[in-house]
Structure formats: C-alpha cells, structure tokens
Amino acid sequence: EAQVTQNPRYLITVTGKKLTVTCSQNMNHEYMSWYRQDPGLGLRQIYYSMNVEVTDKGDVPEGYKVSRKEKRNFPLILESPSPNQTSLYFCASSLFPGGDYGYTFGSGTRLTVV
Amino acid sequence: AQSVTQLDSQVPVFEEAPVELRCNYSSSVSVYLFWYVQYPNQGLQLLLKYLSGSTLVESINGFEAEFNKSQTSFHLRKPSVHISDTAEYFCAVSDRNSGYSTLTFGKGTMLLVSP
C-alpha cells in the first residue's frame, strides 16, 4: 500500500530533551515536507526537501532540523524542544512539489512538550 | 507570494442540508487549486483539485468545487451532507507555472453535521 508512515503517533517529552520524529514514504516521491497544525492557524510548513540532500526552510523553521540522506526518509529533529513546539505534526510527500500531483500525508504525530 | 483565505472557521449544518465552504486565494500567477479533507485523528486526504479545463470539478463522494478566476474563489459545495462528512476541510493553492512551487494551505473550515 502506498503510504507515508510517521512515528511515533503520540509523544510527550520534557523541555530540552532532543527528539526525532521519523517519516518514511514508499512511493519513490522526490518531494517531502513537514507541517505543523495548530488550532486557528491551519497547516504551516516547517521544512521541505526537493530531493536527496536538498532541503530548505518553510514558513516556521525555527527550532527544527531535518535531513534527507535517503529518498524515502525525512526525519524531523527537535534538538531542544520547548512548550511552544507542542503541536500536531504531519509529514507529506509528492512525486513533485505543488504542481498537479497533490500530496500524500502521514497520519500525524501529536507532540506535547512539558 | 500566494495566500488562501477560508472565510469560515466553522460551519454547522443539519444532515441532508446543502453546504458551501468558501475559499478565496491571492496569487500573482496562475494557480492549481485543491481541497483536502481531514477526518478526526487522521491525516489530510485529497478531496478534489482544479488543474485546467472545466471550472467545475467533482469528487467521488458528492462534493464539487467551482473555480472562479474573476473572483479568485474556489468554493466547495455539497447539495446534501451526511453525518460522515463531519471533518475539517482545507483549501490549498500552488503556482502552476513553477515545477517546484510548494502548497499553501488555508486555515481550515470545520464542517459539523448534526442529525
């Protein structure tokens, strides 16, 4: 089944403790992206990647890092999480960005930073 | 730069009533337009999209949206909603002239269908 897999689905952590949210797609998509979803703010893009070793900042990149060493994986790293990073995170992929292909989304990761 | 405005954050309706979810966009270039749906505790799913051709596009579950270039709108409609349509709906836009334009989302409209 073609899908984007995120792990974990739920995560509670403490301020300052480094964490990684994994994202993997099995569709050989070139483009991958991370979004955070907050009530009243919709989806805001954190980082995106056009292809392996090519990443760029989205609208809200502060406090996050990403890497794209393999085409299928695009982990999101929070080196020192803070409470304002409590949010619902989605990974998405597409054959190409925007255009006419649309995105495939993962099921989301609900992160709580205390 | 592109932007999307969804005029209603929440739309309550009764089952079997018609509904319209409004979406306006702003862009200096030609665009592709999308509606995504997010059911509770799930990720977003593509509902329908406008690429070119007929300005009226339909989804498999009875929704339709009409691209209106002069009003820069892409409103989503359904003539008769079901309880199962309760979800959050996101309008999105991308630049059709760029092969590497990312998707910009609106803030979402929660559709609440009650019996």
Side-chain angles (χ1 to χ4, degrees):
Chain A
E1 181 189 351
Q3 60 186 355
V4 175
T5 303
Q6 288 180 234
N7 280 296
R9 287 293 306 273
Y10 301 92
L11 179 60
I12 301 174
T13 190
V14 296
T15 299
K17 185 176 180 181
K18 181 180 178 180
L19 67 91
T20 299
V21 183
T22 63
C23 173
S24 180
Q25 51 93 3
N26 61 0
M27 297 165 281
N28 202 36
H29 284 173
E30 285 194 2
Y31 181 85
M32 298 185 76
S33 181
W34 277 103
Y35 290 86
R36 61 177 289 173
Q37 183 180 14
D38 302 287
L41 298 177
L43 281 86
R44 295 179 292 168
Q45 191 177 49
I46 303 170
Y47 269 94
Y48 61 94
S49 170
M50 299 292 191
N51 214 324
V52 176
E53 302 292 2
V54 181
T55 63
D56 209 345
K57 296 177 181 179
D59 300 317
V60 288
E62 294 77 21
Y64 303 96
K65 283 176 58 176
V66 293
S67 68
R68 187 93 181 271
K69 293 184 171 55
E70 307 165 279
K71 199 170 188 178
R72 63 184 292 124
N73 295 322
F74 189 45
L76 179 69
I77 303 155
L78 285 74
E79 298 237 325
S80 183
S82 62
N84 65 11
Q85 292 178 299
T86 292
S87 186
L88 179 58
Y89 292 86
F90 286 103
C91 180
S93 74
S94 178
L95 191 59
F96 299 109
D100 59 352
Y101 291 97
Y103 288 11
T104 302
F105 282 82
S107 298
T109 296
R110 186 167 294 281
L111 172 66
T112 302
V113 183
V114 298
Chain B
Q2 302 154 170
S3 67
V4 178
T5 302
Q6 292 185 243
L7 296 160
D8 305 295
S9 60
Q10 193 166 297
V11 174
V13 294
F14 289 109
E15 194 174 21
E16 298 183 5
V19 70
E20 178 180 81
L21 307 183
R22 296 178 292 170
C23 172
N24 286 89
Y25 68 92
S26 172
S27 176
S28 58
V29 298
S30 297
V31 297
Y32 295 124
L33 292 158
F34 304 82
W35 275 99
Y36 283 80
V37 58
Q38 183 181 28
Y39 298 105
N41 300 313
Q42 295 186 25
L44 280 74
Q45 304 170 33
L46 181 64
L47 185 62
L48 48 75
K49 59 185 177 183
Y50 170 75
L51 306 179
S52 64
S54 172
T55 57
L56 185 67
V57 290
E58 298 177 356
S59 72
I60 58 173
N61 57 354
F63 282 94
E64 64 179 29
E66 186 161 20
F67 170 54
N68 188 318
K69 187 175 182 179
S70 63
Q71 296 186 8
T72 59
S73 69
F74 192 54
H75 301 331
L76 181 70
R77 302 183 184 97
K78 189 170 185 180
S80 177
V81 295
H82 301 290
I83 297 284
S84 59
D85 292 324
T86 293
E88 189 154 24
Y89 292 80
F90 292 91
C91 183
V93 62
S94 70
D95 174 4
R96 69 183 298 145
N97 292 323
S98 170
Y100 288 95
S101 171
T102 59
L103 211 52
T104 299
F105 287 89
K107 294 184 178 180
T109 298
M110 177 64 73
L111 176 62
L112 298 167
V113 183
S114 54

